[in-house]
Structures are given as structure tokens and as C-alpha cells.
Amino acid sequence: MNWHERAACRSEDPELFFPVSDDGSSLLQIERARRICHRCPVLHECRGWALRNGERDGVWGGLTPRQRREMSVPDPAGA
């Protein structure tokens, strides 16, 4: 069984994890998604996948796109 099959979000509406922005009225939606993530048994696998694959949209592993960008390490070659 892969980590996707054990994710807490499997039984949730996928749209919950893809708010239209990361401010304003979307903050409540983001917080709801993050609460699900924080009780998920595969949070670290999900987060790692999103970071490794440069996922630009949605809440993955409890992180918003902005939070993932802040965690990304810049390419030393500038590419």
C-alpha cells in the first residue's frame, strides 16, 4: 500500500485542499485542510513529495504553496 492510500484526505472533498488564494476568505478553507493534514498518518510523506516535485498548488502535507516556496532551497546554479 502506498502512502496515498493511507492519507486522511482520501475521504475529503479534494477542492478543500485547493483554495483560490492564500488570504481573505480562503484562510478558513486553508485552516480546515491543514487540520486534516495534521492528523494524517502520512503527513511527512505527502509534504516531502510536494517539496521534491515542486507542487505549486494546494495544501500538501499541511503546507500552503507559499510555505513550500519559503522552504525550497534555491538552485546554486541559478537555474
Side-chain angles (χ1 to χ4, degrees):
M1 178 183 298
N2 70 41
W3 67 267
H4 295 103
E5 295 168 353
R6 298 188 333 265
C9 61
R10 279 184 58 84
S11 62
E12 301 292 336
D13 180 356
E15 299 229 359
L16 174 64
F17 297 88
F18 293 91
V20 296
S21 71
D22 59 358
D23 58 10
S25 62
S26 293
L27 291 175
L28 290 175
Q29 181 179 350
I30 291 167
E31 200 49 43
R32 285 183 56 216
R34 292 182 76 202
R35 278 197 305 269
I36 293 166
C37 292
H38 289 293
R39 66 174 168 79
C40 183
V42 295
L43 177 135
H44 297 290
E45 292 92 334
C46 179
R47 181 178 291 178
W49 184 91
L51 290 167
R52 283 190 308 279
N53 290 285
E55 184 60 57
R56 293 180 180 205
D57 298 311
V59 175
W60 291 83
L63 299 175
T64 65
R66 180 183 297 173
Q67 290 170 317
R68 290 192 302 277
R69 281 192 304 274
E70 291 170 357
M71 291 180 76
S72 296
V73 177
D75 182 351

